[in-house]
Amino acid sequence: MNGRVLRIELRRSVAPWAGVVVLVPALTFLYALDGTWWSGTTAWTAQWTPLAMKTRSLLFYLWPLATGLGALQGLRDHRSKMSELLTSTPRPARHRAATLTVATAITLASAFAFLVLVGGVQVLAHTEYSHLGWLPISLVGVLFLVAGAVLGMGAARALPSPLTPPALAMGAFVFTALMHMSLGRTETSTADGLTSTEPNRVSLLSPTLEDVREAFVTLSAPVHIGQTIWLLGMAATGFALLVAATPRARLTALTPVLAGAVIALLVLPADARRMYVVDKAASEPVCDGPVCVTKTQQARLADLAGPGKEALRLLRGALGDQAPDSARENTAALPEGSTPRWSRGTVLFDFDDDIVAGAKGEELTWALIAKGMVPGCTPVGWSGLGGDEFAQAVALGWVLGDLKPLGATSTRMRDEVEAETRPVWKELKALPRAEQLSRINAMRAAAFSCEGDPFDILSGGASR
């Protein structure tokens, strides 16, 4: 292969359009639609690892497109009725296949790289923490696009029908959907008996990823290795189908993809907690006295340190020796639907928590006091308004001497919290100091163990 032949292939093939079809929908999806990819610490422009994970998640739609376009490219010789002519030339079929494959690979890789570059420029402006741990995630994403396109080319060469491209694209889409919704998930039960699901090793054969909940959660090395083996087998099968001339050769060409799938399943981890792991370097604490954040959020420490220390001081004044002595960002990565785990000696917080996100100065102090009193037992990945939020408001009012609003809630929700909590707060403040402390301690015991209703206990209910 030489540069001149490659340039001709780039001008006359579907390859450049494949890059355009991958890039334009991806940018349109990210910029035209408002969603979780633009909010919080896991926004695609906030940190490097979320950037890689969020752009990989777009392969749910882009990978089937790349596979279908590859199949369209593979039909070129058949559409032009040149197959017999090309087989009579002295140039080996593998040379023509290599030129076609390289041209498509260049355009798809360039399109995905440009997508990552657009996000990367914005990440540089939003974070002080830089690393290369995100790079394997994006490189495997590129390999998914290239391998899918090459497999599509080979399949269309083996089955030269106008129906092959749409059938392959739809088949790839159904495959990713099944991996994400049923075949790739295992039903589990939480400690509370709640039914949930988690990804299994089969799901890792899909190009898409789980939703990113923490900026310091990444994919483990066995995932990268297993997916690379699977994709190399897929690409090898596609290339072998491109050059195969007999039915027996086409049947033999299926060996790499099947072998790649089997080896990959042996390498890929079976436990979901070994698929998505905490990046130890990214979660390393950066502290100002007793207040700590992860390395990914070190730029926010200056604004957090003062309110955090003030919150610890007020908690010490209200609870005495029972008060926490530090505050730090929560680095636990628990499965969706599981019960959170808390420490009495440390105020654990998450920058994406409703009462912490967007809070500054005095409001941030209130939020940290509320988390130190009632950390919240809503299952991981779930949301709602109920006993924990009401208990937080009453406990904060008890520490400060007056009820204060928490979080960026609507006026209607604040009115609801006010209506539910003010009578309980007045009743609590009217009790003798010893009785107040008794209820607060019982409430905190329930709140930290996630057993019982903290708000019911503050109300003097049967859970007390």
Side-chain angles (χ1 to χ4, degrees):
M1 185 193 312
N2 57 49
R4 179 173 172 272
V5 173
L6 184 59
R7 287 194 297 272
I8 293 173
E9 190 67 47
L10 285 170
R11 286 200 309 269
R12 297 182 178 179
S13 70
V14 179
W17 290 106
V20 172
V21 169
V22 164
L23 180 62
V24 173
L27 290 176
T28 303
F29 187 85
L30 289 170
Y31 281 96
L33 299 178
D34 188 19
T36 57
W37 49 89
W38 275 111
S39 60
T41 60
T42 59
W44 79 293
T45 58
Q47 300 287 338
W48 289 106
T49 300
L51 165 66
M53 300 280 271
K54 296 282 188 180
T55 49
R56 267 286 298 274
S57 67
L58 296 178
L59 296 187
F60 189 98
Y61 310 99
L62 300 181
W63 186 65
L65 281 175
T67 304
L69 286 167
L72 187 63
Q73 177 79 321
L75 286 178
R76 183 179 61 177
D77 294 347
H78 178 74
R79 291 197 311 268
S80 60
K81 298 179 171 52
M82 292 178 57
S83 301
E84 293 184 3
L85 175 63
L86 291 173
T87 55
S88 66
T89 62
R91 189 183 181 196
R94 64 179 181 275
H95 288 183
R96 296 194 303 273
T99 304
L100 189 64
T101 300
V102 171
T104 303
I106 288 174
T107 56
L108 289 174
S110 299
F112 196 78
F114 185 79
L115 178 65
V116 174
L117 178 63
V118 170
V121 171
Q122 297 173 79
V123 170
L124 284 173
H126 292 158
T127 183
E128 296 178 1
Y129 177 60
S130 297
H131 63 103
L132 294 178
W134 60 274
L135 197 54
I137 302 173
S138 292
L139 290 177
V140 172
V142 171
L143 191 54
F144 259 110
L145 289 174
V146 173
V150 175
L151 182 64
M153 291 180 213
R157 185 68 61 85
L159 300 170
S161 166
L163 297 178
T164 300
L168 277 178
M170 183 55 67
F173 180 78
V174 170
F175 174 78
T176 57
L178 289 176
M179 291 298 101
H180 194 64
M181 294 187 299
S182 57
L183 294 180
R185 302 194 70 82
T186 302
E187 189 173 289
T188 60
S189 295
T190 66
D192 298 329
L194 300 173
T195 300
S196 183
T197 61
E198 62 183 23
N200 56 39
R201 73 174 75 192
V202 177
S203 70
L204 297 174
L205 298 180
S206 165
T208 192
L209 300 175
E210 293 291 292
D211 190 31
V212 186
R213 291 200 304 268
E214 304 292 348
F216 44 78
V217 171
T218 187
L219 292 172
S220 64
V223 172
H224 299 316
I225 295 171
Q227 288 183 334
T228 299
I229 293 171
W230 156 239
L231 293 172
L232 290 176
M234 185 188 299
T237 287
F239 189 83
L241 287 173
L242 271 175
V243 301
T246 64
R248 182 175 180 179
R250 294 187 185 104
L251 190 61
T252 304
L254 299 177
T255 302
V257 70
L258 296 176
V262 171
I263 297 172
L265 290 173
L266 294 175
V267 173
L268 293 169
D271 188 350
R273 283 163 287 278
R274 292 179 55 235
M275 300 174 191
Y276 296 88
V277 298
V278 173
D279 184 336
K280 293 182 179 179
S283 61
E284 183 180 336
V286 179
C287 302
D288 183 340
V291 181
C292 300
V293 298
T294 62
K295 212 165 189 178
T296 60
Q297 304 299 329
Q298 59 189 3
R300 306 178 73 162
L301 181 59
D303 294 332
L304 180 73
K309 293 173 183 177
E310 178 64 10
L312 292 174
R313 185 187 69 79
L314 292 171
L315 286 169
R316 170 69 62 177
L319 299 174
D321 293 340
Q322 299 296 316
D325 55 11
S326 62
R328 64 177 176 83
E329 186 179 355
N330 192 2
T331 57
L334 301 176
E336 185 172 357
S338 60
T339 302
R341 302 169 188 168
W342 305 113
S343 167
R344 284 176 172 267
T346 303
V347 177
L348 296 175
F349 61 90
D350 190 322
F351 284 111
D352 289 330
D353 192 297
D354 289 340
I355 66 172
V356 177
K360 295 181 180 180
E362 190 176 51
E363 290 186 353
L364 185 53
T365 298
W366 300 344
L368 293 175
I369 292 173
K371 294 295 291 183
M373 296 294 286
V374 184
C377 290
T378 302
V380 175
W382 296 20
S383 62
L385 179 66
D388 284 342
E389 289 73 24
F390 297 153
Q392 284 177 338
V394 174
L396 173 62
W398 180 79
V399 173
L400 298 178
D402 192 13
L403 289 178
K404 301 293 183 181
L406 280 172
T409 54
S410 64
T411 302
R412 184 184 63 81
M413 292 179 67
R414 288 193 179 189
D415 290 343
E416 181 181 347
V417 173
E418 172 80 11
E420 290 284 344
T421 58
R422 186 163 289 279
V424 176
W425 175 74
K426 287 182 176 179
E427 178 188 344
L428 180 64
K429 293 296 287 185
L431 295 173
R433 179 67 179 178
E435 180 65 16
Q436 291 181 33
L437 282 173
S438 176
R439 285 199 186 184
I440 289 293
N441 288 333
M443 179 273 298
R444 294 188 78 226
F448 281 88
S449 65
C450 290
E451 297 178 359
D453 187 340
F455 186 61
D456 190 34
I457 294 174
L458 287 175
S459 306
S463 319
R464 183 177 160 215

